Amino acid sequence: MLGFPVLLFFAIFPLTLAVAAFLQRQFLGQTSSSGIPLITIALAIGVAAIAGHLWFALVYLGSPTFTDHIEPNAAIVSWIFAQGGQIYHSVDAAERYSFLYGPVPYIATSWMYALLGGGSLAAKLAGFISLLVTFLCIILAVRQWFSGRIIPCLVALGYFSLAALLFKNNSFWSKPDSFLLASAAIGLYSCLMRPGRYSWVLCGIALGIAVNAKITGAIYFLPYLAWFFDRDGFRAVLVISLAAGVTALLPYWSTEQVSLVNYLLWLQSAGSHGLSNLLLVQNL
């Protein structure tokens, strides 16, 4: 079960609700007027999850170690880019450091290097900032429906933190996952903004960033595109697509250090080995 985080979440979350209901009935008294309501218990669990999530992220940010073997690769490639090197070398080059991730994590981490110099703190900081952006956009999205109310924001953040912690540090590490989450949160906020061009462009920018985090990032925006199409029509989807295309191509246009041709060749090379059914289910 630990190898399948989504299944683990669906197993644990109902159990959490059942335990909370049991504790209320057995120890707090379901009918007692002085008993603590179930919503209060749920909020306490949510606030504890939020605090634990942020504490975990801060501890990881200050730690000199990495928890995944790919994270040092992301840090090294970001440093190479910061020193003027290529993110994606040619497939027949003597070097062998290019990976299948999009350029956004590398570029963002290189900015942290420029700000703080080399080190594990700079290598991890962009991922931590992505988590803060995710939190902020969740709050902004919820406030579009529940203006001026704090409890719905705590519920949403608590639910997110409970789900994110099942994936360990994926929501704030230096790999693309944290950037994907931040992009998806921006996209969610754009869906709940006042209808209009600003929301379309914002969703397109978020989609472009997601694709430049992982090429599969577009999949997570399909529900958003369906929402905009249903609410605003085809023109909204067209504007979103144009904004996403410009955003996605911007790193390749802006510097010769990011080669679109080499990136596509690496993706083509990796795609030739097919899919593992086990890994596919694990990553759903």
Side-chain angles (χ1 to χ4, degrees):
M1 186 71 79
L2 291 175
F4 298 86
V6 175
L7 297 180
L8 181 63
F9 169 73
F10 283 118
I12 289 180
F13 189 69
L15 179 62
T16 303
L17 295 180
V19 170
F22 174 81
L23 291 175
Q24 182 188 36
R25 183 172 61 252
Q26 295 295 322
F27 301 104
L28 303 176
Q30 188 177 22
T31 61
S32 173
S33 59
S34 61
I36 302 176
L38 182 58
I39 184 61
T40 304
I41 299 175
L43 281 175
I45 295 174
V47 170
I50 297 169
H53 195 181
L54 290 174
W55 176 83
F56 184 20
L58 285 169
V59 169
Y60 178 73
L61 180 64
S63 170
T65 61
F66 297 95
T67 59
D68 183 90
H69 64 286
I70 302 298
E71 286 183 272
N73 172 271
I76 292 169
V77 175
S78 300
W79 179 257
I80 291 173
F81 176 74
Q83 301 302 307
Q86 297 279 329
I87 292 180
Y88 308 110
H89 55 68
S90 61
V91 293
D92 57 352
E95 299 90 344
R96 276 294 179 268
Y97 60 78
S98 291
F99 210 67
L100 304 178
Y101 297 149
V104 160
Y106 304 120
I107 295 173
T109 302
S110 73
W111 292 343
M112 299 302 106
Y113 287 143
L115 181 66
L116 301 175
S120 60
L121 175 63
K124 298 176 181 180
L125 186 56
F128 179 78
I129 293 174
S130 295
L131 175 63
L132 298 182
V133 171
T134 303
F135 269 57
L136 175 62
C137 289
I138 290 175
I139 292 172
L140 292 175
V142 172
R143 285 176 65 86
Q144 295 299 310
W145 286 89
F146 303 96
S147 179
R149 298 178 61 184
I150 187 65
I151 290 180
C153 294
L154 291 176
V155 170
L157 289 177
Y159 188 90
F160 166 71
S161 292
L162 283 172
L165 287 172
L166 291 174
F167 296 85
K168 299 178 290 187
N169 58 342
N170 290 28
S171 59
F172 50 81
W173 62 9
S174 57
K175 292 172 63 177
D177 307 88
S178 58
F179 300 92
L180 277 175
L181 278 174
S183 300
I186 295 171
L188 175 63
Y189 173 55
S190 71
C191 289
L192 300 178
M193 290 174 61
R194 181 179 301 175
R197 294 183 181 88
Y198 290 114
S199 62
W200 305 343
V201 172
L202 181 61
C203 185
I205 292 173
L207 173 55
I209 295 173
V211 170
N212 274 344
K214 273 186 180 179
I215 194 66
T216 55
I219 296 174
Y220 302 100
F221 277 74
L222 293 179
Y224 300 158
L225 293 175
W227 167 273
F228 278 109
F229 179 77
D230 181 67
R231 189 188 70 177
D232 301 331
F234 177 76
R235 186 173 62 168
V237 177
L238 179 61
V239 172
I240 291 171
S241 300
L242 289 174
V246 171
T247 304
L249 291 173
L250 189 59
Y252 307 99
W253 289 339
S254 60
T255 174
E256 295 181 353
Q257 293 176 252
V258 187
S259 170
L260 178 60
V261 173
N262 287 346
Y263 179 44
L264 294 178
L265 286 174
W266 278 107
L267 290 175
Q268 183 181 8
S269 176
S272 63
H273 59 58
L275 292 173
S276 164
N277 293 332
L278 177 62
L279 291 177
L280 178 63
V281 173
Q282 271 188 282
N283 286 276
L284 285 177

